[in-house]
Amino acid sequence: MNQGSKTRAIDQNSDQARKNILYVSSFGNFVGGGEVSLVGILQNLNQDLFVPNMACGEDGMLKEFAEAYGIKVHHIPMEPVRPLSPLSPLRSIQRLRACMEQSGIDL
């Protein structure tokens, strides 16, 4: 299959070929390098192949940035990174899982 055939195959099945990806940040603002890296990924993601989604634990500049790029942002309350109880992160995981199922997230 030559390059032109591959492109046509993707174009013909664009809805089926595009994968929904969920990026997760417990912060809504720029706190450190992780958020800066996430912005770089979102800016350079091939949106012909992938549909980016972002789960954010709070409102802020990171959420606004993603929305300005047309990225769907899901507000999901998340437990603290260093929880008081070892079971606390399970609530965040359950919320993320429900979001993924409802939104048809692939990855």
Side-chain angles (χ1 to χ4, degrees):
M1 181 185 288
N2 66 29
Q3 187 66 16
S5 298
K6 288 181 186 178
T7 303
R8 276 193 299 278
I10 290 172
D11 290 342
Q12 290 171 352
N13 300 313
S14 63
D15 290 339
Q16 295 169 351
R18 293 176 69 194
K19 297 291 183 190
N20 287 308
I21 300 175
L22 182 67
Y23 295 95
V24 180
S25 175
S26 55
F27 303 106
N29 281 308
F30 291 92
V31 176
E35 291 77 26
V36 173
S37 295
L38 178 57
V39 166
I41 291 169
L42 294 173
Q43 286 177 321
N44 294 294
L45 185 70
N46 183 342
Q47 292 194 20
D48 290 334
L49 300 175
F50 304 102
V51 179
N53 292 263
M54 190 169 81
C56 235
E58 56 189 31
D59 288 335
M61 290 175 50
L62 181 61
K63 176 183 179 251
E64 292 171 13
F65 174 86
E67 289 174 336
Y69 267 82
I71 295 165
K72 183 171 182 174
V73 178
H74 307 270
H75 181 261
I76 299 175
M78 295 187 205
E79 303 302 318
V81 176
R82 293 188 178 100
L84 298 175
S85 164
L87 297 178
S88 294
L90 292 177
R91 289 189 287 268
S92 297
I93 292 168
Q94 289 171 333
R95 291 180 192 125
L96 286 168
R97 183 175 179 210
C99 173
M100 292 174 71
E101 289 174 357
Q102 291 170 0
S103 302
I105 302 294
D106 299 306
L107 181 63

